[in-house]
Structure formats: structure tokens, C-alpha cells
Amino acid sequence: MRLRQARIVFLKEMLETLRDKRTLMVMILGPVLIYPVLILVLVTMSRAQQGRLEQQPSRVALIGQAVAPSLTDRLLDDEHIELDALQLGDVREAVRTGRVEAAVIVSRDVETPDEASPLLTGALARVVVIYDQADERSELAFERISELLGAYSREAVTGQLAQLEEGEEYAYPLVIRRESVGTPEAVGRRVLGYVIPMMLVLMTIAGSMYPAIDTTAGEKERGTIETILTTPAGIAEIVAGKFLTIFLIAIATGLLNLAGMGLALAAIGHAAQETINLSLPLDAALLVLLFLVPLAFLFSSVMMAVAMYARTFKEAQNYATPIYLLCIIPAMMSTLPGFELTPFLCVVPVVGVTLLLKELLQATIVWGHLALVFISTSLYAYGAFRLTIRLFHNENVLFSSERPFALFVGRTRLKPRPVPTPGEALLLAAVCFVLFFTAGQIVQSHDLRVGLTITMWGLLFLPAVGFARYLKLDVRKTFALRRPSALALVGAVVAAVASLLVVLEIEYVQSKLLPYSQELAEATKRAFEQARFGLVETLMFIALFPAICEEMLFRGFMLSGFSSKMRRWQAAIIVGVLFGFYHVVPVAMKVIPVSHIVIGIVLSLIVAYSRSIFTGMLFHLLYNAGLMTLGYLEPLLEKAGLGGAWLDAGGHVPALLLVPAALLLVGIVAAFVVAGDKRSRAGKHSSA
Amino acid sequence: MTDTGAVIKAEGLHKVFVDARGEEVHAVRGLSFEAHRGEILGILGPNGAGKTTLLRMLASIIQPTEGRASVCGFDVVREPDEVKRRIGFLSGNTKLYARLTAAETVRYFGRLTGLDDETIRRRTDSIFASLNMETIRDRRFEKLSTGQKQKVSVARTLIHDPEVLVLDEPTAGLDVIASRAIVSLIREAKAQHKTVLLSTHYMTEAEELCDRVALLHEGLFLAVDTLDRLVEDAGTTSLNEAFLRRLEAAGVDLGSANEEAAR
């Protein structure tokens, strides 16, 4: 990269961006002026309103004055309560309509004999307080009455104890006093940990959005993109210059927001300094700034890549807004109590950074998390950056006046084509993942048999085939519906058996390093026990259906989609990883699904190089069936005293089995790759 | 490719685009031609003929699918930087930055072409004086009139004193006064022995300026020759009629084409 040219582009972009009033509004006016003022005004108004409410007396109806004359006197004496006379039948309606804010009904408890309560001189009374939880005045009235009744009750007890010549400890043996070791600073950091990460993430993405759109889609719309391409500035230099501008604006927006929010929070916290200190400590601020860098890097790259697809500013806003909305959910995770970082969450985009920022602010840093989040976020950001450079090289993206996605073109105008694009494959994966994790979980929780059938066929198979039909794709090529050779089928069978042993060892090692969610394992086991699945049913639902439906989605649509724009092994790795993460059930997010990723990659390689989905289906069927059969046989073996007989004393798969199985698996996959490459070369040669 | 002293050389240039529907569009189909020093070569053709695609390939903005081309001896695919340093590219699509002033715009493009600040200052003064742009030097592009904007575009195109001018319908949509700046630019370039590639669908413009004309239709050259020869061969009195004759000879149903155009 020629740095001089990147610097020239950067300086020009900065100059233009800083002359743009809209950017300045988002970057400076919002955080520096509007948010702090807004927060201060809201808090001041809320305090003033609270003060006003507290000065006004609550109108309360009292029923049963004759039963509780002294309580009536206490209520009459209280300056914050105004008593109102009402009939018993009218009180609920009166509270509901706001005529009174609460009602107190006192009645003698006829079921409790007087002698059972030797402490009381009178009879035990039951008090019902009626109020409206939806009305804040009514709630305040309830709080006042509760306080008064509590004090009254305690005084009554104390008085009666005095008559009996007993001390208070007779009735109240425990005296509870709250004492928090949390310093005001620590309490403040807890609160900051909830608020700041969310705001910082949202503001950084908002800060990157406008300049990203302006410098890409905006330039396309204004016709300046072609002008810069006429100069010797290379694509990498142009992208770097633009990216650096977006990145700095995003950082500046994040920083100014942090400063604005910090000032506003400090001002609010000033009033309650004895219990909470909301000023941001310098060490935490510095660490937060450190993580602002990969965060801004990620958002700038993603926003730039997304906006690059659009032809106009407005179209780019349409593409970028869902990304922004999508980030709100992970950004809000910092505000959920008890949601903490795990190794898996560290690598989930945005979620990892958000929760890490919370850790940093709350001074509960785990250095491993810090490294994992920094590395993963930087990798995602770099990936998005590379994608943007690729898009800048794409003449269709730069100059086409057509909509960038076939999905938006309209089916009647679509022409038949062989396979989907990687974008379409990703879109289908996203839709199927959402369906699987939402609708799939719901239907399975009602009835496992029906639920699994609907999930597999309705939420995976049908969307894949339906989308292919909609896009007018060649179904045979998209889903690799070719007859495999007998040798490929034999290879798939042997590979499936070998992978069973390899996976068992991976699972064992992983369970030791990163324990699985026992909760999930138990829940799954219970669901199967409740459904009373026999072996045949288990094989059908857990082996046959996934072998067909998951293969059609992953090794069919997705693999052909990714293979259309990259090498087969690259596509296989991407599909394998997606396949792995598809097997992460939400509650088990504590682990990275290593074994499923391995199996996903092996399956994808076998299908990609054999060019037949049937080899994948056979492998998948045998692999799942093998796992299920082992699970089914386990209790029987244990009964016969042979539980885990084929594992060694440490619980590992014996090396005598594991090593040949692993070598066999690698050898078979390599054979598929070599044979596939050879066939491709032969095909090219003959067509040439 | 043998060296014939040509400044621009194209051999079998072919460009295929794949649209969002997966359909292949052959925008340019195996074009070969040469343009020489001091020559104005006109590329004539209706909308969608492939003019812009051809010029973008020659300016190294996009890459040919097949074939090769060179500008001043530099390959458009392998040496795009050298090609771009020698070309001044101006088209209806090459707009400028609204929030930069005229001087900032010209300085920006000068720097990207590799000029030092002193050279940029000197050349800017000279170009601004010759185009009568002194009064708009420090005004933002967004505040300028259409004619003044076109002058800034011309100044941007000339700042690095290119050997070749590639002009893609540079007068499209301009009024008579604004068009004069472009016509003057082309004449000035010819006087300085620069090579000019001028794409247009205004026949009168071609007749007025071009030494030779290439007639382009659906990505193919129907003819490449001098104006006189084209008119003479077609047995007509104007370039417009000669072009229509060539289209008919190529089997184009002009009646259907007109209806299509009307739709």
C-alpha cells in the first residue's frame, strides 16, 4: 500500500466530512450537548416531580374505624394522609377511578381465638390495603400506609411487652442492620458497567454509520467514485483513506459520548456521593478507550462493506439500519443482570466487546477474556475490511445501476442460473438459524416428534428448496444431486465410523477444558425420556431427518453458494463452522462446538470434492446413527457391567483405536480432495 | 503487439458483465483499433452501444474480460498507474466533491497523480487563468453554476498535463456556453498534439471535431474511418445518414429500434 496516497485520500475525506453539518450533529452536538442536557433535564424533572408528589397528602379511605379506633387516630394524625369516608362496597371502584388513592379495611379476625395471642390485649386484626399499582400516587399512598401500619404494629407489640414486663428482644430476637462493604466508587462502577457499554456500542455504531454511507454509497450517488478511480490511487489506498476517516469519526463519536455521559452521570451522582460515585476512574477509562479501537474498527468496516453494496444514500440507510438494530440486542446484554462473559460469548461479535466493557468498568477483568475479545473482534473487523476492498474491486458493485441483490429484483425478471451467491447462502443461513432457534425450540418443547419433523422439514429443508426455486437456480447443481461413485460411498461409510471415535475423544477433552452445560444435557435427556423414543424412532428423528434436511441446507445450498466465489476447501471450512454453530443451543452457549465444527468441515469437504450430496447424507446418517446407538446401548452395557468397557481408565478412547481412526479419517478426506481435484483438472482439460 | 507508433492500441477488447440476475451482458465484443498522436478519434454510437465500457477499460477503471490494450505503451491491466498518469478522463459520470473548493479539488487530484505542491500551484494558476476561473478559486463546488462546475472538471482533468484525453460524452446535458469550454479544451489539446478519444452521440460534434470516427453498435465496430470516407462509402451527405446506413447493413431493423427507443 502506498501510504502517501492513502494519506491524501484520508485528509480529503476528513476535510469533507468535517464540513458536513449532519456528521457534526451526530458526532459532536449529540453527545456533547444533547445527551447530557437531556439526562440532566430528565433527572431534575423526575426529582422535582417526586418532591411535589411527596409534599401532597394521600387521600385514603378507612373502613372499620370502630374496630381500630387507635389506628384511625394514627391515620388522622399523619400529615401526609387525608382520610375519606366511604362504604365498603365502593372502595375498589373509588381507588380505580382515583377518587381516593388507597383504602384501608380493618376487620377482626374471627378465626383466631384471643387466648392464642397472649401478647395482644385486643383481638388480632386483619388489615387489607387496596391500591392501584398502575398509578404512582396510589403507590406512594400504599408506601405511606405500609410504613405507618408497620410502625403502629411495632409500637403495639412494644407496649404490650412493657405491660408483660418483657424487653423488645422477647418479640424481636434479631436486630438486622445492613452494612455494605461496597465503596461508593465500587457501587458507581457497577452502575456504569450496566449503562456505559450499551451506550458506547450504540454511539460508536451510530458514529460510523453516517460517514460510512457518505463516503461509499453517497459517492456512488454523487458520481464521484468514478472520478477518483481515474487517478493512480489504488483501491487499497482509497479504501484505507476512507476507512481511516470513518474509524476516527466513530472513535471521536464514542469518546465524546463517553465524556458527555461521564459528565452527566457524575453530575447526577454528585447529589448522592455518600452512597454512589458515578465518576469514571482513569484506569477503567483507559481500558475502555483501548477497546473502543477494535470496536470502532469493526463497526467502521462492517458499515463500509454494507454501504458499499448500495447505489444511493437512501438505499445504504436501508441496508445499514437493520445492522444497527441487530447490534442493539447484543449491546443491551450489558444491562441484563447476571449475564457474564464466557469463552464462547467472547467470540460472538459485539456481545463479547459489550460484556468485556462491563467487566472492565466493574473491575472484574479476566485477562483471557480480554485477549479473546481483542483478537476475535480484530479478526472480524479485518474480515469486513478485506470484504470492502473486494467490493471496491467488483465492477458490478461500483458501477451497476441495478439493485445489488437478486432478491430485490423481482422473480419475473430473474434468469435461471446454476447456483446461489455467497450472499444468498448467508441470507438463507441467517433465516434458517433464526427459525431454528425460535420456532424450532417452541414446537419441539410442545411435542418432540411433531416438533422435530416440523423443524427439519419445515424450517430447514423447505426454506432451502423453496429459496432455490424462487431464485430459479439449477436444483441439481445447487444441491449437488449427482450419483456418487461406489468408492465415494465406501469412503463416506469408513469416514463416518472413524469420525465417531475421533469425536468421542474431542468431546471428552473439551468437556474437561470447557465444561458443558449439565442443565442442557439433562434437559435433552429428559425430553427424550418423556417422548419415550425407541431406537427406531431415535434413528429416524435424529439420524435420518437431519441427514437429509441439514445436508440439503448446509452441503447443498450453502456449500454451492460459497463455492461459487471461492475455492472448495475455503467454502467447506466456512460451511463447517456455520454447521458447528448451528448446533449451539442457546442455553449451552458456554462452549464452542468444536466437534460439530470438525464434523461439519469433514462433511463439507467430502461433498465438495465428491460433488455429490449423497455421500454427505450417508456419512451424516451413519454418524448420527452411531452416536445414538452408542447412547442407547450405554445403559444396557452398564447393566451388564460393561459400561465404558471400550474406554481406557482415564475415560479416553484408547490410543490403539484413536490413532488409526484419526489417520484413516484424514487419509479418506485427503483422498476425496485429491480425487476431486484430479477430476476437475481432467474436466477442464477435456473441455479445453 | 507490434509497435506502430500508436498512442492508444486495443486488440480484441471484450467485456462481459454478470448482472444481479446472473445474466451475462456482452457490453464490448472484441474491439481492435489504434489512435495516434495529435489525433481526435470519435467513438459514435447510441445509448447502450458500449462506448462508456470501452473508454473505462482504456482508462484502467475496469478490466477487460478478454483482449488487451495499451496507452502510451503501458498495459491497461498490468500498469494501471502509469496509464492513469497519462490520461485525463472526463465524463458525465465523473462528478466532483460538493464540499471542496475549486482549488482544493484540483490540488487533491494533482496530489493523487503524484505532482508536488509547487507544480500543482503553478499549473493551477495557469489553468485557472486560461479558463477564467480566478473568481471561483475558493468557492465550494456545490455553490457553483453548471458551467463553472464543468470548468472545475476540466481543470481537474488537465492538472497533470496528460498526453491523452479520454472524454466520455463530455457535453451531455450541458448548455451551449458550458459546452464551449469542452470544445475549446478539445481543440487546445489537438493543438498541443495530444491524443483525444471522444465518445459522443452528437453527430454534429463528431463532424466538427474528429479526425476519424469509429461507429459502435451493440459492442461492435461497424466502421472505423475518416469522416469523408465514411460518408463517401455510404453514398450519403452526412455522418448521421452514413451511420444509419451502416446500421441497416448490419441487419438492424431501424423501425423496431425507433419504437424501442420511443418506449
Side-chain angles (χ1 to χ4, degrees), chain A residues 282-293:
Chain A
L282 187 66
D283 57 338
L286 288 175
L287 279 169
V288 169
L289 291 186
L290 178 73
F291 271 84
L292 199 57
V293 174

Side-chain angles (χ1 to χ4, degrees), chain A residues 198-362:
Chain A
M198 181 185 74
M199 294 302 287
L200 207 58
V201 167
L202 294 181
M203 289 304 127
T204 310
I205 195 166
S208 66
M209 196 160 112
Y210 182 76
I213 293 174
D214 191 55
T215 54
T216 52
E219 281 224 20
K220 276 198 214 175
E221 187 175 9
R222 294 189 294 270
T224 48
I225 208 105
E226 184 168 353
T227 316
I228 191 157
L229 292 175
T230 65
T231 70
I235 296 289
E237 289 86 41
I238 296 171
V239 174
K242 287 177 180 292
F243 168 79
L244 201 57
T245 308
I246 302 163
F247 173 72
L248 284 182
I249 298 287
I251 291 251
T253 311
L255 275 178
L256 289 170
N257 270 283
L258 196 63
M261 254 185 314
L263 285 174
L265 288 172
I268 295 165
H270 191 68
Q273 212 166 18
E274 281 176 18
T275 51
I276 185 166
N277 181 356
L278 287 171
S279 53
L280 193 60
L282 187 66
D283 57 338
L286 288 175
L287 279 169
V288 169
L289 291 186
L290 178 73
F291 271 84
L292 199 57
V293 174
L295 193 68
F297 187 12
L298 176 67
F299 288 147
S300 306
S301 314
V302 169
M303 280 297 168
M304 206 175 166
V306 169
M308 198 52 216
Y309 269 110
R311 299 159 302 165
T312 62
F313 198 97
K314 200 175 164 196
E315 196 177 306
Q317 278 180 318
N318 292 341
Y319 298 156
T321 306
I323 304 280
Y324 180 74
L325 296 176
L326 207 66
C327 288
I328 290 180
I329 301 163
M332 285 183 72
M333 285 177 94
S334 71
T335 63
L336 302 176
F339 222 107
E340 284 170 5
L341 258 186
T342 61
F344 173 72
L345 290 177
C346 279
V347 298
V348 178
V350 188
V351 175
V353 181
T354 311
L355 291 177
L356 187 86
L357 287 173
K358 185 179 170 184
E359 269 190 7
L360 295 177
L361 287 162
Q362 298 186 343

Side-chain angles (χ1 to χ4, degrees), chain A residues 56-388:
Chain A
Q56 287 173 356
S58 303
R59 276 172 293 124
V60 175
L62 177 65
I63 311 293
Q65 296 189 9
V67 180
S70 57
L71 178 61
T72 309
D73 290 343
R74 283 295 294 273
L75 285 165
L76 282 168
D77 289 346
D78 195 311
E79 58 176 333
H80 289 115
I81 291 174
E82 257 176 25
L83 279 187
D84 203 342
L86 276 177
Q87 294 298 313
L88 179 61
D90 300 334
V91 288
R92 283 186 172 77
E93 187 57 23
V95 173
R96 206 172 289 130
T97 56
R99 190 181 147 193
V100 291
E101 280 142 23
V104 181
I105 304 168
V106 187
S107 60
R108 191 180 293 275
D109 191 339
V110 290
E111 288 176 22
T112 311
D114 288 356
E115 52 273 26
S117 307
L119 281 174
L120 295 176
T121 50
L124 188 69
R126 174 174 289 168
V127 179
V128 179
V129 182
I130 296 166
Y131 77 110
D132 183 355
Q133 209 177 349
D135 184 288
E136 56 185 12
R137 285 171 186 274
S138 184
E139 198 141 32
L140 180 64
F142 173 76
E143 278 169 24
R144 285 170 170 169
I145 293 165
S146 299
E147 203 177 316
L148 185 143
L149 290 176
Y152 176 80
S153 180
R154 196 172 173 100
E155 278 170 27
V157 171
T158 311
Q160 285 154 13
L161 285 170
Q163 282 179 18
L164 293 170
E165 295 181 352
E166 292 285 353
E168 267 197 47
E169 67 279 6
Y170 186 81
Y172 307 112
L174 292 177
V175 178
I176 302 162
R177 187 164 62 90
R178 285 166 64 134
E179 191 180 311
S180 167
V181 295
T183 59
E185 286 75 26
V187 178
R189 287 180 79 148
R190 188 168 70 91
V191 175
L192 292 175
Y194 285 130
V195 182
I196 287 189
M198 181 185 74
M199 294 302 287
L200 207 58
V201 167
L202 294 181
M203 289 304 127
T204 310
I205 195 166
S208 66
M209 196 160 112
Y210 182 76
I213 293 174
D214 191 55
T215 54
T216 52
E219 281 224 20
K220 276 198 214 175
E221 187 175 9
R222 294 189 294 270
T224 48
I225 208 105
E226 184 168 353
T227 316
I228 191 157
L229 292 175
T230 65
T231 70
I235 296 289
E237 289 86 41
I238 296 171
V239 174
K242 287 177 180 292
F243 168 79
L244 201 57
T245 308
I246 302 163
F247 173 72
L248 284 182
I249 298 287
I251 291 251
T253 311
L255 275 178
L256 289 170
N257 270 283
L258 196 63
M261 254 185 314
L263 285 174
L265 288 172
I268 295 165
H270 191 68
Q273 212 166 18
E274 281 176 18
T275 51
I276 185 166
N277 181 356
L278 287 171
S279 53
L280 193 60
L282 187 66
D283 57 338
L286 288 175
L287 279 169
V288 169
L289 291 186
L290 178 73
F291 271 84
L292 199 57
V293 174
L295 193 68
F297 187 12
L298 176 67
F299 288 147
S300 306
S301 314
V302 169
M303 280 297 168
M304 206 175 166
V306 169
M308 198 52 216
Y309 269 110
R311 299 159 302 165
T312 62
F313 198 97
K314 200 175 164 196
E315 196 177 306
Q317 278 180 318
N318 292 341
Y319 298 156
T321 306
I323 304 280
Y324 180 74
L325 296 176
L326 207 66
C327 288
I328 290 180
I329 301 163
M332 285 183 72
M333 285 177 94
S334 71
T335 63
L336 302 176
F339 222 107
E340 284 170 5
L341 258 186
T342 61
F344 173 72
L345 290 177
C346 279
V347 298
V348 178
V350 188
V351 175
V353 181
T354 311
L355 291 177
L356 187 86
L357 287 173
K358 185 179 170 184
E359 269 190 7
L360 295 177
L361 287 162
Q362 298 186 343
T364 52
I365 307 163
V366 178
W367 293 102
H369 290 169
L370 200 123
L372 212 51
V373 172
F374 199 90
I375 292 167
S376 61
T377 307
S378 303
L379 282 176
Y380 297 138
Y382 182 69
F385 181 69
R386 295 290 307 172
L387 175 67
T388 312

Side-chain angles (χ1 to χ4, degrees), chain A residues 2 19 223 227 395-396 413, chain B residues 15 18 21 81 93 95:
Chain A
R2 291 159 299 182
R19 280 180 181 170
T227 316
E395 292 163 5
N396 273 359
R413 292 181 59 212
Chain B
K15 183 66 186 177
V18 179
R21 289 159 286 167
D81 290 359
N93 296 320
K95 305 281 172 46

Side-chain angles (χ1 to χ4, degrees), chain B residues 123-237:
Chain B
R123 285 210 41 85
T124 304
D125 288 347
S126 154
I127 295 168
F128 276 33
S130 69
L131 291 173
N132 197 19
M133 290 171 65
E134 290 302 342
T135 52
I136 60 165
R137 175 185 277 267
D138 296 318
R139 281 173 65 186
R140 288 197 194 176
F141 191 75
E142 62 193 347
K143 308 275 185 198
L144 302 177
S145 67
T146 310
Q148 289 169 331
K149 283 178 179 171
Q150 195 61 24
K151 283 183 179 179
V152 181
S153 285
V154 170
R156 187 274 301 169
T157 310
L158 298 179
I159 184 66
H160 57 298
D161 193 18
E163 293 168 52
V164 177
L165 286 180
V166 176
L167 309 174
D168 184 13
E169 302 192 8
T171 57
L174 294 183
D175 61 29
V176 181
I177 299 167
S179 298
R180 291 320 298 169
I182 304 297
V183 172
S184 303
L185 161 75
I186 296 168
R187 291 214 166 103
E188 181 78 10
K190 172 139 177 99
Q192 293 171 0
H193 305 291
K194 293 182 192 291
T195 307
V196 181
L197 213 54
L198 171 68
S199 131
T200 180
H201 55 253
Y202 299 134
M203 297 295 167
T204 48
E205 203 169 81
E207 283 173 330
E208 188 184 346
L209 294 167
C210 298
D211 300 311
R212 281 192 306 146
V213 167
L215 301 179
L216 188 64
H217 178 66
E218 292 186 347
L220 289 167
F221 279 148
L222 300 179
V224 184
D225 219 326
T226 60
L227 287 164
D228 294 342
R229 297 260 293 269
L230 282 173
V231 171
E232 193 183 313
D233 286 356
T236 59
T237 53

